[in-house]
Amino acid sequence: GDTSQRRQLFMRTRNLGFQMVQAVHPSALIGWNVSLGAGVALLAGSIVNSGTTLSANVIINTGAQLDHDCYVGEHTHIAPGARIAGGVRIEGDVHVGIGATLIQGVHIGAGTIIGAGAVVLKDVPAHVTVVGIPAQIIKQHTTDLE
C-alpha cells in the first residue's frame, strides 16, 4: 500500500530528464474529456469515464473502474477490481486496495491506504489506513513526501 518508492523512482527519473510515457492497455476504456498525466498506466480491462483527471504516475490496475468526473492525485495506485463512483476526489500517494468500493462524491486525503474490499461511505482524512464495511480508520501514519 505504500506508494513512496514508486514516487521516489518516478521523481528521480523525471529529474534526470527522462520523459515519462503513458502505458494504456488495448482493452482499457477511456471516456470523453479524460486527462492523463505523465507516466499513467491503464491496465487490462480498466475503465476511466468522462471528465476524470489522472495525475502523474497513477496506476489504474486490471479491471478497476472510475466513473465520471473523478480526480486522482499523483502517485496513486487503484488496485485490481476497485470501483470508484462519480465525483470522487483522491489526493496523492493513496493506495486503493483490491476490490474496494468508494461511493459517489467522497474525498480521500493524501497518503491514505484503503484496505482490500473496503466500502468507503464517507470522506477519509489524510495519512490513515481504513478497512471494513463500512470503512473505519484502524491506523494513523505519515508518508515521506520528499
Side-chain angles (χ1 to χ4, degrees), residues 13-65:
T13 305
R14 188 171 64 181
N15 290 341
L16 288 170
F18 288 91
Q19 182 170 343
M20 310 311 272
V21 298
Q22 299 160 345
V24 179
H25 191 276
S27 68
L29 299 177
I30 305 170
W32 177 81
N33 196 29
V34 169
S35 175
L36 302 179
V40 164
L42 300 178
L43 279 68
S46 60
I47 300 172
V48 180
N49 279 305
S50 299
T52 292
T53 297
L54 303 179
S55 301
N57 199 28
V58 166
I59 297 174
I60 307 301
N61 219 314
T62 308
Q65 302 174 15

Side-chain angles (χ1 to χ4, degrees), residues 99-122:
T101 301
L102 284 64
I103 69 162
Q104 67 277 1
V106 295
H107 177 259
I108 309 300
T112 288
I113 297 171
I114 308 292
V119 177
V120 177
L121 301 176
K122 61 184 181 180

